[in-house]
Amino acid sequence: MPDPHAPDHSALLRRSIEVITGNQHSSGAYPACPEYEVYRYSWLRDGSFVAEAASRAGAAGSADAFHRWSAKVLTDRSARIEKLVAAVRRGEQPAEGDRLPTRYTLEGEDTGEVGWWDFQLDGYGTWLWALTEHLARHQGDHAPYREAVRLTIGYLAASWATPCYDWWEEYADQVHGATLGAIRGGLHAVRASGMAAAVGLDDVCADTVGAIDAMIEERGLFDGHLAKWLGSKQVDGSLLACLTPFGNVPLDGPVARATVHAVELDIAQPGGGVYRYLGDTFYGGGQWPVLAGFLGWHYARTGRRDDALRELDWIAAQATAEHLLPEQAPGVRLQAPRRLPEWEERWGPNATPLLWSHAMYLILADELGVTP
């Protein structure tokens, strides 16, 4: 007899792809959350994982459109990127405002907002990774993307060691483990695909990957696990992406095992769900479906199927009656419940639907072979 409390995966899988494709802008951009004022922009990080989900879930055309949009965003800024790379080669340190932003309008323009936490590097590395995954899966042509890939490699090679905001748009004075992981993952992916060689930058990618590995080994570990930022002792949920999907370290190696153990000990919950980090106060510091997706993805890749299914079920349990997934699990096990009202007063209720949450659910379901 069916369990009446079991998550309705069939309905949520169908709804998730509808949320992604139905909210995609005609330009190809994905808004982070169409119903949340400050998230009505497109982040390369969020969008790249959304495109990966679409690519896997039978909506290859949607992923194509996002990658074309991303490539145009970059080529439209070719003079800006070339100027920055040249300045770094002369030994200069460009101002933050001269660097690329982390999010764009859905039409591909700079937002023009002042005071936003806008200098982040991880999205550019994530885009390289997602592009190569999509093209390999669907036997796509590399040629239309080569100029954008060339510009992105140059930008990351010139910027990778610069302190910037992390995934959570915090701590701009640090070099973050997850940022380095995304950059390394993207550069490694374009090398493996042959695109780096095709644009004459294979050696640049190899040198940058080697430098990142050396920096992580020297300053990016604590007690054997990846650290939130260089010199930190703390773990962060975003570090899971360094393991799966970016593969910065062997999945069965000591660093990966120590990192997962630290996550499980500090920020993962026994019944499913993962906090961003200990001490988080954003919207009360709740658990994120996105991070449950990354942990489940890693479990699935390392033979822990039951644990991966637990995370999939937990994500599904956070959906609204309309099968919409939020940014954070609503009002349960908050680290700082007294801080929730100030965020709701500032920006409104928890962002729902978050396209990235739906994307991670689709990706994990695909890894586990769960279909509608």
Side-chain angles (χ1 to χ4, degrees), residues 219-353:
R219 300 174 54 203
L221 301 175
F222 174 75
D223 199 22
H225 67 73
L226 294 172
K228 183 173 173 64
W229 60 68
L230 299 183
S232 173
K233 299 179 180 180
Q234 193 170 13
V235 74
D236 188 286
S238 60
L239 293 167
L240 290 165
C242 298
L243 314 180
T244 300
F246 296 140
N248 296 164
V249 296
L251 296 189
D252 59 351
V255 173
R257 291 197 301 269
T259 302
V260 172
H261 178 69
V263 166
E264 291 172 333
L265 189 65
D266 285 358
I267 55 177
Q269 296 299 298
V274 183
Y275 295 115
R276 298 195 303 179
Y277 55 88
L278 287 181
D280 184 18
T281 61
F282 179 63
Y283 275 85
Q287 301 157 86
W288 285 51
V290 161
L291 296 177
F294 278 107
L295 182 58
W297 195 355
H298 184 73
Y299 284 152
R301 289 281 176 95
T302 53
R304 297 175 61 176
R305 181 176 176 83
D306 288 348
D307 291 328
L309 284 167
R310 180 193 66 224
E311 299 301 327
L312 187 74
D313 287 348
W314 181 87
I315 296 171
Q318 311 315 309
T320 68
E322 295 78 26
H323 302 296
L324 301 177
L325 288 171
E327 182 173 56
Q328 288 192 41
V332 294
R333 295 181 180 175
L334 297 180
Q335 296 187 71
R338 293 182 180 180
R339 301 293 299 275
L340 175 60
E342 71 181 71
W343 287 103
E344 291 180 329
E345 183 177 349
R346 180 179 181 183
W347 282 346
N350 188 1
T352 307

Side-chain angles (χ1 to χ4, degrees), residues 189-205:
V190 290
R191 282 199 77 207
S193 72
M195 277 196 283
V199 298
L201 293 175
D202 192 73
D203 288 346
V204 170
C205 285

Side-chain angles (χ1 to χ4, degrees), residues 146-195:
R146 284 179 185 156
E147 177 61 8
V149 167
R150 183 188 71 81
L151 290 166
T152 306
I153 292 171
Y155 178 65
L156 292 176
S159 306
W160 68 271
T162 307
C164 67
Y165 290 102
D166 61 6
W167 276 28
W168 317 126
E169 301 180 343
E170 299 175 338
Y171 304 105
D173 58 341
Q174 303 294 340
V175 176
H176 301 277
T179 300
L180 294 176
I183 295 170
R184 186 198 187 282
L187 295 179
H188 175 77
V190 290
R191 282 199 77 207
S193 72
M195 277 196 283

